[in-house]
mmCIF file of all heavy atoms in Angstrom:
data_model
loop_
_atom_site.group_PDB
_atom_site.id
_atom_site.type_symbol
_atom_site.label_atom_id
_atom_site.label_comp_id
_atom_site.label_asym_id
_atom_site.label_seq_id
_atom_site.Cartn_x
_atom_site.Cartn_y
_atom_site.Cartn_z
ATOM 1 N N CYS A 41 19.491 25.407 29.618
ATOM 2 C CA CYS A 41 18.286 25.418 30.437
ATOM 3 C C CYS A 41 18.618 25.147 31.906
ATOM 4 O O CYS A 41 17.967 25.650 32.812
ATOM 5 C CB CYS A 41 17.288 24.378 29.927
ATOM 6 S SG CYS A 41 16.558 24.822 28.332
ATOM 7 N N GLU A 42 19.652 24.318 32.132
ATOM 8 C CA GLU A 42 20.047 24.031 33.507
ATOM 9 C C GLU A 42 20.767 25.210 34.146
ATOM 10 O O GLU A 42 20.610 25.490 35.322
ATOM 11 C CB GLU A 42 20.951 22.794 33.520
ATOM 12 C CG GLU A 42 20.221 21.511 33.144
ATOM 13 C CD GLU A 42 21.179 20.335 33.037
ATOM 14 O OE1 GLU A 42 22.397 20.551 33.223
ATOM 15 O OE2 GLU A 42 20.702 19.219 32.766
ATOM 16 N N GLU A 43 21.604 25.890 33.341
ATOM 17 C CA GLU A 43 22.433 26.951 33.887
ATOM 18 C C GLU A 43 21.686 28.250 34.069
ATOM 19 O O GLU A 43 22.042 29.067 34.917
ATOM 20 C CB GLU A 43 23.651 27.182 32.976
ATOM 21 C CG GLU A 43 24.601 25.983 32.960
ATOM 22 C CD GLU A 43 25.756 26.209 32.012
ATOM 23 O OE1 GLU A 43 25.721 27.248 31.288
ATOM 24 O OE2 GLU A 43 26.679 25.391 31.989
ATOM 25 N N ASN A 44 20.648 28.480 33.272
ATOM 26 C CA ASN A 44 19.922 29.748 33.330
ATOM 27 C C ASN A 44 18.570 29.534 33.980
ATOM 28 O O ASN A 44 17.765 28.739 33.505
ATOM 29 C CB ASN A 44 19.719 30.314 31.918
ATOM 30 C CG ASN A 44 21.047 30.657 31.262
ATOM 31 O OD1 ASN A 44 21.673 31.652 31.594
ATOM 32 N ND2 ASN A 44 21.484 29.808 30.343
ATOM 33 N N THR A 45 18.333 30.243 35.037
ATOM 34 C CA THR A 45 17.061 30.113 35.749
ATOM 35 C C THR A 45 16.043 31.118 35.287
ATOM 36 O O THR A 45 14.845 30.932 35.467
ATOM 37 C CB THR A 45 17.296 30.290 37.258
ATOM 38 O OG1 THR A 45 17.913 31.560 37.471
ATOM 39 C CG2 THR A 45 18.191 29.174 37.786
ATOM 40 N N ASP A 46 16.481 32.219 34.712
ATOM 41 C CA ASP A 46 15.560 33.255 34.269
ATOM 42 C C ASP A 46 15.010 32.911 32.902
ATOM 43 O O ASP A 46 15.738 32.530 32.002
ATOM 44 C CB ASP A 46 16.286 34.602 34.210
ATOM 45 C CG ASP A 46 15.343 35.735 33.883
ATOM 46 O OD1 ASP A 46 14.580 36.150 34.762
ATOM 47 O OD2 ASP A 46 15.395 36.203 32.725
ATOM 48 N N ASP A 47 13.670 33.019 32.733
ATOM 49 C CA ASP A 47 13.042 32.650 31.462
ATOM 50 C C ASP A 47 13.562 33.492 30.319
ATOM 51 O O ASP A 47 13.790 32.999 29.212
ATOM 52 C CB ASP A 47 11.516 32.794 31.559
ATOM 53 C CG ASP A 47 10.916 31.752 32.473
ATOM 54 O OD1 ASP A 47 11.607 30.730 32.724
ATOM 55 O OD2 ASP A 47 9.782 31.961 32.944
ATOM 56 N N ASP A 48 13.733 34.799 30.537
ATOM 57 C CA ASP A 48 14.207 35.661 29.461
ATOM 58 C C ASP A 48 15.601 35.260 29.034
ATOM 59 O O ASP A 48 15.928 35.274 27.840
ATOM 60 C CB ASP A 48 14.205 37.128 29.913
ATOM 61 C CG ASP A 48 12.797 37.646 30.135
ATOM 62 O OD1 ASP A 48 11.872 37.068 29.530
ATOM 63 O OD2 ASP A 48 12.630 38.617 30.903
ATOM 64 N N ASP A 49 16.440 34.890 30.014
ATOM 65 C CA ASP A 49 17.789 34.462 29.667
ATOM 66 C C ASP A 49 17.759 33.184 28.858
ATOM 67 O O ASP A 49 18.525 32.997 27.921
ATOM 68 C CB ASP A 49 18.627 34.253 30.935
ATOM 69 C CG ASP A 49 18.928 35.565 31.633
ATOM 70 O OD1 ASP A 49 18.814 36.609 30.958
ATOM 71 O OD2 ASP A 49 19.274 35.544 32.838
ATOM 72 N N ASN A 50 16.825 32.274 29.215
ATOM 73 C CA ASN A 50 16.712 31.028 28.470
ATOM 74 C C ASN A 50 16.313 31.280 27.033
ATOM 75 O O ASN A 50 16.841 30.686 26.098
ATOM 76 C CB ASN A 50 15.672 30.109 29.129
ATOM 77 C CG ASN A 50 16.213 29.455 30.394
ATOM 78 O OD1 ASN A 50 17.422 29.392 30.581
ATOM 79 N ND2 ASN A 50 15.320 28.993 31.251
ATOM 80 N N ASP A 51 15.323 32.183 26.824
ATOM 81 C CA ASP A 51 14.874 32.495 25.471
ATOM 82 C C ASP A 51 16.009 33.098 24.664
ATOM 83 O O ASP A 51 16.208 32.762 23.495
ATOM 84 C CB ASP A 51 13.690 33.459 25.521
ATOM 85 C CG ASP A 51 12.442 32.781 26.045
ATOM 86 O OD1 ASP A 51 12.409 31.528 26.053
ATOM 87 O OD2 ASP A 51 11.520 33.501 26.437
ATOM 88 N N THR A 52 16.770 34.004 25.287
ATOM 89 C CA THR A 52 17.877 34.642 24.568
ATOM 90 C C THR A 52 18.941 33.622 24.212
ATOM 91 O O THR A 52 19.483 33.614 23.107
ATOM 92 C CB THR A 52 18.484 35.754 25.438
ATOM 93 O OG1 THR A 52 17.467 36.683 25.755
ATOM 94 C CG2 THR A 52 19.606 36.450 24.698
ATOM 95 N N SER A 53 19.241 32.712 25.158
ATOM 96 C CA SER A 53 20.245 31.695 24.899
ATOM 97 C C SER A 53 19.809 30.776 23.779
ATOM 98 O O SER A 53 20.594 30.415 22.900
ATOM 99 C CB SER A 53 20.503 30.885 26.173
ATOM 100 O OG SER A 53 21.445 29.873 25.927
ATOM 101 N N LEU A 54 18.541 30.368 23.789
ATOM 102 C CA LEU A 54 18.021 29.501 22.736
ATOM 103 C C LEU A 54 18.103 30.194 21.382
ATOM 104 O O LEU A 54 18.471 29.584 20.377
ATOM 105 C CB LEU A 54 16.577 29.111 23.042
ATOM 106 C CG LEU A 54 15.889 28.161 22.045
ATOM 107 C CD1 LEU A 54 16.646 26.850 21.970
ATOM 108 C CD2 LEU A 54 14.447 27.926 22.449
ATOM 109 N N LEU A 55 17.790 31.494 21.349
ATOM 110 C CA LEU A 55 17.862 32.242 20.107
ATOM 111 C C LEU A 55 19.283 32.274 19.574
ATOM 112 O O LEU A 55 19.530 32.082 18.384
ATOM 113 C CB LEU A 55 17.360 33.672 20.330
ATOM 114 C CG LEU A 55 17.476 34.641 19.143
ATOM 115 C CD1 LEU A 55 16.661 34.121 17.978
ATOM 116 C CD2 LEU A 55 17.026 36.031 19.536
ATOM 117 N N ASN A 56 20.238 32.484 20.494
ATOM 118 C CA ASN A 56 21.630 32.543 20.065
ATOM 119 C C ASN A 56 22.116 31.199 19.562
ATOM 120 O O ASN A 56 22.953 31.124 18.672
ATOM 121 C CB ASN A 56 22.511 33.021 21.227
ATOM 122 C CG ASN A 56 22.247 34.480 21.566
ATOM 123 O OD1 ASN A 56 21.807 35.234 20.710
ATOM 124 N ND2 ASN A 56 22.504 34.859 22.807
ATOM 125 N N GLU A 57 21.616 30.107 20.178
ATOM 126 C CA GLU A 57 22.070 28.785 19.782
ATOM 127 C C GLU A 57 21.491 28.362 18.439
ATOM 128 O O GLU A 57 22.182 27.834 17.590
ATOM 129 C CB GLU A 57 21.679 27.759 20.854
ATOM 130 C CG GLU A 57 22.447 27.909 22.160
ATOM 131 C CD GLU A 57 23.912 27.552 22.012
ATOM 132 O OE1 GLU A 57 24.250 26.860 21.041
ATOM 133 O OE2 GLU A 57 24.707 27.956 22.867
ATOM 134 N N THR A 58 20.192 28.564 18.237
ATOM 135 C CA THR A 58 19.545 28.058 17.035
ATOM 136 C C THR A 58 19.511 29.086 15.917
ATOM 137 O O THR A 58 19.613 28.732 14.754
ATOM 138 C CB THR A 58 18.094 27.647 17.338
ATOM 139 O OG1 THR A 58 17.351 28.803 17.705
ATOM 140 C CG2 THR A 58 18.052 26.634 18.461
ATOM 141 N N ARG A 59 19.307 30.353 16.275
ATOM 142 C CA ARG A 59 19.131 31.419 15.292
ATOM 143 C C ARG A 59 18.025 31.058 14.307
ATOM 144 O O ARG A 59 18.053 31.461 13.153
ATOM 145 C CB ARG A 59 20.442 31.713 14.559
ATOM 146 C CG ARG A 59 21.561 32.168 15.471
ATOM 147 C CD ARG A 59 22.787 32.575 14.682
ATOM 148 N NE ARG A 59 22.516 33.709 13.837
ATOM 149 C CZ ARG A 59 22.524 34.972 14.262
ATOM 150 N NH1 ARG A 59 22.793 35.240 15.513
ATOM 151 N NH2 ARG A 59 22.271 35.965 13.422
ATOM 152 N N ASN A 60 17.074 30.230 14.754
ATOM 153 C CA ASN A 60 16.007 29.792 13.854
ATOM 154 C C ASN A 60 14.796 30.705 14.006
ATOM 155 O O ASN A 60 13.714 30.273 14.395
ATOM 156 C CB ASN A 60 15.634 28.340 14.119
ATOM 157 C CG ASN A 60 14.803 27.771 12.990
ATOM 158 O OD1 ASN A 60 14.940 28.195 11.846
ATOM 159 N ND2 ASN A 60 13.947 26.823 13.293
ATOM 160 N N GLU A 61 14.997 31.948 13.698
ATOM 161 C CA GLU A 61 13.891 32.888 13.696
ATOM 162 C C GLU A 61 13.004 32.639 12.480
ATOM 163 O O GLU A 61 13.486 32.270 11.411
ATOM 164 C CB GLU A 61 14.415 34.325 13.663
ATOM 165 C CG GLU A 61 15.093 34.768 14.934
ATOM 166 C CD GLU A 61 15.626 36.178 14.798
ATOM 167 O OE1 GLU A 61 16.728 36.321 14.232
ATOM 168 O OE2 GLU A 61 14.950 37.118 15.236
ATOM 169 N N VAL A 62 11.721 32.848 12.659
ATOM 170 C CA VAL A 62 10.738 32.606 11.603
ATOM 171 C C VAL A 62 9.875 33.857 11.445
ATOM 172 O O VAL A 62 9.468 34.468 12.430
ATOM 173 C CB VAL A 62 9.836 31.399 11.966
ATOM 174 C CG1 VAL A 62 8.795 31.172 10.881
ATOM 175 C CG2 VAL A 62 10.681 30.159 12.175
ATOM 176 N N ILE A 63 9.608 34.234 10.204
ATOM 177 C CA ILE A 63 8.751 35.385 9.928
ATOM 178 C C ILE A 63 7.299 34.939 9.897
ATOM 179 O O ILE A 63 6.934 34.012 9.172
ATOM 180 C CB ILE A 63 9.132 36.042 8.587
ATOM 181 C CG1 ILE A 63 10.574 36.569 8.646
ATOM 182 C CG2 ILE A 63 8.159 37.164 8.247
ATOM 183 C CD1 ILE A 63 10.809 37.591 9.732
ATOM 184 N N ARG A 64 6.469 35.594 10.698
ATOM 185 C CA ARG A 64 5.036 35.339 10.714
ATOM 186 C C ARG A 64 4.292 36.646 10.452
ATOM 187 O O ARG A 64 4.715 37.715 10.898
ATOM 188 C CB ARG A 64 4.596 34.786 12.070
ATOM 189 C CG ARG A 64 5.209 33.437 12.431
ATOM 190 C CD ARG A 64 4.638 32.333 11.596
ATOM 191 N NE ARG A 64 5.107 31.018 12.024
ATOM 192 C CZ ARG A 64 4.989 29.925 11.294
ATOM 193 N NH1 ARG A 64 4.415 29.985 10.106
ATOM 194 N NH2 ARG A 64 5.443 28.768 11.743
ATOM 195 N N ILE A 65 3.171 36.556 9.735
ATOM 196 C CA ILE A 65 2.315 37.721 9.486
ATOM 197 C C ILE A 65 0.891 37.298 9.806
ATOM 198 O O ILE A 65 0.211 36.670 8.991
ATOM 199 C CB ILE A 65 2.418 38.209 8.027
ATOM 200 C CG1 ILE A 65 3.867 38.590 7.688
ATOM 201 C CG2 ILE A 65 1.492 39.403 7.788
ATOM 202 C CD1 ILE A 65 4.070 39.008 6.249
ATOM 203 N N MET A 66 0.437 37.630 10.993
ATOM 204 C CA MET A 66 -0.916 37.282 11.407
ATOM 205 C C MET A 66 -1.889 38.420 11.143
ATOM 206 O O MET A 66 -3.018 38.205 10.718
ATOM 207 C CB MET A 66 -0.941 36.905 12.890
ATOM 208 C CG MET A 66 -0.032 35.725 13.237
ATOM 209 S SD MET A 66 -0.298 34.266 12.198
ATOM 210 C CE MET A 66 -1.964 33.826 12.671
ATOM 211 N N GLU A 67 -1.444 39.646 11.367
ATOM 212 C CA GLU A 67 -2.256 40.827 11.098
ATOM 213 C C GLU A 67 -1.783 41.486 9.808
ATOM 214 O O GLU A 67 -0.588 41.416 9.470
ATOM 215 C CB GLU A 67 -2.169 41.832 12.254
ATOM 216 C CG GLU A 67 -2.640 41.281 13.597
ATOM 217 C CD GLU A 67 -4.127 41.010 13.611
ATOM 218 O OE1 GLU A 67 -4.853 41.624 12.797
ATOM 219 O OE2 GLU A 67 -4.572 40.188 14.438
ATOM 220 N N PRO A 68 -2.681 42.126 9.051
ATOM 221 C CA PRO A 68 -2.262 42.785 7.803
ATOM 222 C C PRO A 68 -1.136 43.788 8.047
ATOM 223 O O PRO A 68 -1.167 44.578 8.992
ATOM 224 C CB PRO A 68 -3.548 43.480 7.329
ATOM 225 C CG PRO A 68 -4.650 42.678 7.933
ATOM 226 C CD PRO A 68 -4.136 42.218 9.266
ATOM 227 N N CYS A 69 -0.121 43.699 7.197
ATOM 228 C CA CYS A 69 1.004 44.644 7.198
ATOM 229 C C CYS A 69 1.753 44.677 8.531
ATOM 230 O O CYS A 69 2.330 45.702 8.901
ATOM 231 C CB CYS A 69 0.522 46.044 6.835
ATOM 232 S SG CYS A 69 -0.280 46.149 5.226
ATOM 233 N N THR A 70 1.742 43.563 9.242
ATOM 234 C CA THR A 70 2.450 43.473 10.516
ATOM 235 C C THR A 70 3.350 42.243 10.495
ATOM 236 O O THR A 70 2.867 41.108 10.470
ATOM 237 C CB THR A 70 1.467 43.369 11.694
ATOM 238 O OG1 THR A 70 0.590 44.497 11.667
ATOM 239 C CG2 THR A 70 2.214 43.334 13.020
ATOM 240 N N VAL A 71 4.653 42.482 10.498
ATOM 241 C CA VAL A 71 5.630 41.401 10.432
ATOM 242 C C VAL A 71 6.120 41.075 11.840
ATOM 243 O O VAL A 71 6.507 41.968 12.596
ATOM 244 C CB VAL A 71 6.822 41.788 9.526
ATOM 245 C CG1 VAL A 71 7.878 40.690 9.533
ATOM 246 C CG2 VAL A 71 6.341 42.057 8.109
ATOM 247 N N GLU A 72 6.093 39.784 12.180
ATOM 248 C CA GLU A 72 6.578 39.337 13.476
ATOM 249 C C GLU A 72 7.699 38.330 13.286
ATOM 250 O O GLU A 72 7.671 37.517 12.369
ATOM 251 C CB GLU A 72 5.449 38.684 14.278
ATOM 252 C CG GLU A 72 4.277 39.595 14.569
ATOM 253 C CD GLU A 72 3.161 38.874 15.297
ATOM 254 O OE1 GLU A 72 3.336 37.670 15.594
ATOM 255 O OE2 GLU A 72 2.118 39.496 15.560
ATOM 256 N N ARG A 73 8.698 38.400 14.173
ATOM 257 C CA ARG A 73 9.762 37.414 14.184
ATOM 258 C C ARG A 73 9.558 36.502 15.392
ATOM 259 O O ARG A 73 9.546 36.958 16.524
ATOM 260 C CB ARG A 73 11.136 38.088 14.244
ATOM 261 C CG ARG A 73 11.642 38.555 12.900
ATOM 262 C CD ARG A 73 13.142 38.730 12.934
ATOM 263 N NE ARG A 73 13.487 39.900 13.735
ATOM 264 C CZ ARG A 73 13.895 41.054 13.219
ATOM 265 N NH1 ARG A 73 13.996 41.187 11.920
ATOM 266 N NH2 ARG A 73 14.215 42.063 14.004
ATOM 267 N N CYS A 74 9.403 35.214 15.114
ATOM 268 C CA CYS A 74 9.164 34.236 16.167
ATOM 269 C C CYS A 74 10.343 33.274 16.249
ATOM 270 O O CYS A 74 11.141 33.166 15.320
ATOM 271 C CB CYS A 74 7.881 33.453 15.899
ATOM 272 S SG CYS A 74 6.421 34.496 15.650
ATOM 273 N N LEU A 75 10.407 32.566 17.357
ATOM 274 C CA LEU A 75 11.467 31.585 17.567
ATOM 275 C C LEU A 75 10.873 30.187 17.562
ATOM 276 O O LEU A 75 9.910 29.907 18.271
ATOM 277 C CB LEU A 75 12.163 31.846 18.910
ATOM 278 C CG LEU A 75 13.332 30.922 19.265
ATOM 279 C CD1 LEU A 75 14.456 31.067 18.254
ATOM 280 C CD2 LEU A 75 13.819 31.214 20.664
ATOM 281 N N GLU A 76 11.436 29.315 16.731
ATOM 282 C CA GLU A 76 10.986 27.934 16.658
ATOM 283 C C GLU A 76 12.180 26.999 16.791
ATOM 284 O O GLU A 76 13.322 27.397 16.540
ATOM 285 C CB GLU A 76 10.260 27.656 15.338
ATOM 286 C CG GLU A 76 8.928 28.353 15.203
ATOM 287 C CD GLU A 76 8.197 27.950 13.930
ATOM 288 O OE1 GLU A 76 8.751 27.133 13.167
ATOM 289 O OE2 GLU A 76 7.087 28.454 13.715
ATOM 290 N N ALA A 77 11.909 25.760 17.141
ATOM 291 C CA ALA A 77 12.971 24.763 17.222
ATOM 292 C C ALA A 77 13.444 24.392 15.822
ATOM 293 O O ALA A 77 12.704 24.521 14.838
ATOM 294 C CB ALA A 77 12.465 23.524 17.957
ATOM 295 N N ILE A 78 14.676 23.933 15.737
ATOM 296 C CA ILE A 78 15.164 23.436 14.454
ATOM 297 C C ILE A 78 14.338 22.225 14.056
ATOM 298 O O ILE A 78 14.150 21.308 14.856
ATOM 299 C CB ILE A 78 16.654 23.051 14.544
ATOM 300 C CG1 ILE A 78 17.506 24.308 14.736
ATOM 301 C CG2 ILE A 78 17.102 22.299 13.296
ATOM 302 C CD1 ILE A 78 18.984 24.035 14.847
ATOM 303 N N PRO A 79 13.808 22.186 12.830
ATOM 304 C CA PRO A 79 12.951 21.062 12.427
ATOM 305 C C PRO A 79 13.721 19.753 12.383
ATOM 306 O O PRO A 79 14.918 19.713 12.112
ATOM 307 C CB PRO A 79 12.465 21.458 11.029
ATOM 308 C CG PRO A 79 12.742 22.922 10.916
ATOM 309 C CD PRO A 79 13.932 23.196 11.774
ATOM 310 N N SER A 80 13.028 18.652 12.658
ATOM 311 C CA SER A 80 13.585 17.323 12.435
ATOM 312 C C SER A 80 13.321 16.923 10.991
ATOM 313 O O SER A 80 12.506 17.545 10.311
ATOM 314 C CB SER A 80 12.962 16.307 13.399
ATOM 315 O OG SER A 80 11.560 16.278 13.216
ATOM 316 N N PHE A 81 13.976 15.894 10.516
ATOM 317 C CA PHE A 81 13.808 15.545 9.104
ATOM 318 C C PHE A 81 13.969 14.047 8.891
ATOM 319 O O PHE A 81 14.513 13.331 9.734
ATOM 320 C CB PHE A 81 14.789 16.327 8.227
ATOM 321 C CG PHE A 81 16.238 16.191 8.612
ATOM 322 C CD1 PHE A 81 17.067 15.300 7.971
ATOM 323 C CD2 PHE A 81 16.776 16.990 9.606
ATOM 324 C CE1 PHE A 81 18.391 15.178 8.316
ATOM 325 C CE2 PHE A 81 18.106 16.895 9.958
ATOM 326 C CZ PHE A 81 18.927 15.977 9.318
#
Side-chain angles (χ1 to χ4, degrees):
C41 290
E42 292 174 358
E43 294 177 353
N44 296 285
T45 57
D46 185 75
D47 291 341
D48 293 336
D49 291 341
N50 284 340
D51 289 343
T52 302
S53 178
L54 182 60
L55 175 61
N56 291 334
E57 291 292 341
T58 65
R59 299 186 63 82
N60 195 29
E61 290 178 278
V62 179
I63 298 301
R64 297 289 186 195
I65 301 177
M66 301 308 295
E67 300 292 337
C69 301
T70 303
V71 176
E72 299 177 2
R73 278 201 289 255
C74 306
L75 182 62
E76 291 185 0
I78 292 180
S80 59
F81 55 98

